[in-house]
Amino acid sequence: MPRKFIKRFMPDPETIKRQKALKIFGNVLYNPNLWCLNRRSAAGAFAVGLFMAFVPLPSQMIMSAGLAIVCGVNLPLSVALVWVSNPITMPVLFYFAYKVGAKILHVPPQHFHFELSWDFICNQMSTIGPPFILGCMVCGVCSALIGYFGIKGLWRYSVVRSWQKRKQK
């Protein structure tokens, strides 16, 4: 069942409650609905986590936790899924998002050499900013939808398969 598989990779609720960055949510973290794992909460957590993975801001985990609390989905799973965009995969994901945004806006992709400086970011946001932001939003929404309906479908498939195995016994 997907629940057993997902629980193996989920962080401990007490570990998450002790995170200093999440103290801003206060006692809301003690809501038991944020920690239960069922088809609805897992699918919603996948949607929240995968959407927030494409948000190009450094506070993705905190925003994912806030959105998980607002939506009432599994908090640890949504926070953990933000790490799809980790320091290794982030350049590839964000370059893909830029290419998607440029394709949608019918703008030829610009060749640039990335520099980690404030001047580079300010200068480039007028040229690569709009396709990049649009691409991030489109990729975030698409990955959230794929994650949501994919987990719902896999969960349902697993339940139906277990029912069929019980019938055969």
Side-chain angles (χ1 to χ4, degrees):
M1 188 167 217
R3 181 182 323 206
K4 292 176 188 171
F5 180 76
I6 292 172
K7 277 198 173 195
R8 265 193 286 170
F9 298 105
M10 279 185 19
D12 181 45
E14 293 305 316
T15 305
I16 291 177
K17 288 177 186 175
R18 281 185 265 138
Q19 292 292 322
K20 290 179 183 177
L22 297 179
K23 295 287 185 196
I24 60 171
F25 297 117
N27 291 333
V28 176
L29 291 177
Y30 297 104
N31 181 355
N33 292 331
L34 297 175
W35 307 100
C36 74
L37 188 61
N38 55 39
R39 182 173 44 167
R40 182 194 149 300
S41 69
F46 264 78
V48 167
L50 292 175
F51 176 78
M52 294 311 281
F54 279 96
V55 173
L57 294 174
S59 57
Q60 293 171 321
M61 288 176 60
I62 295 170
M63 291 185 295
S64 179
L67 193 55
I69 290 168
V70 169
C71 296
V73 299
N74 189 281
L75 180 70
L77 194 54
S78 65
V79 169
L81 280 165
V82 168
W83 281 94
V84 165
S85 66
N86 57 56
I88 295 169
T89 62
M90 197 176 289
V92 174
L93 292 175
F94 286 162
Y95 183 69
F96 176 74
Y98 169 70
K99 296 282 269 191
V100 167
K103 187 83 158 169
I104 292 171
L105 292 176
H106 303 292
V107 176
Q110 305 233 342
H111 296 287
F112 60 91
H113 177 70
F114 182 76
E115 296 174 21
L116 190 56
S117 70
W118 187 250
D119 290 335
F120 172 80
I121 292 172
C122 290
N123 292 334
Q124 294 296 319
M125 281 319 260
S126 62
T127 57
I128 66 170
F132 175 62
I133 299 297
L134 178 64
C136 285
M137 292 301 113
V138 168
C139 289
V141 168
C142 288
S143 65
L145 289 171
I146 290 169
Y148 181 82
F149 290 112
I151 290 299
K152 275 210 174 249
L154 285 171
W155 200 291
R156 175 140 175 83
Y157 171 75
S158 174
V159 169
V160 168
R161 196 177 81 212
S162 69
W163 285 348
Q164 289 173 345
K165 283 182 181 179
R166 269 191 252 157
K167 281 183 183 179
Q168 289 176 354
K169 289 182 179 182

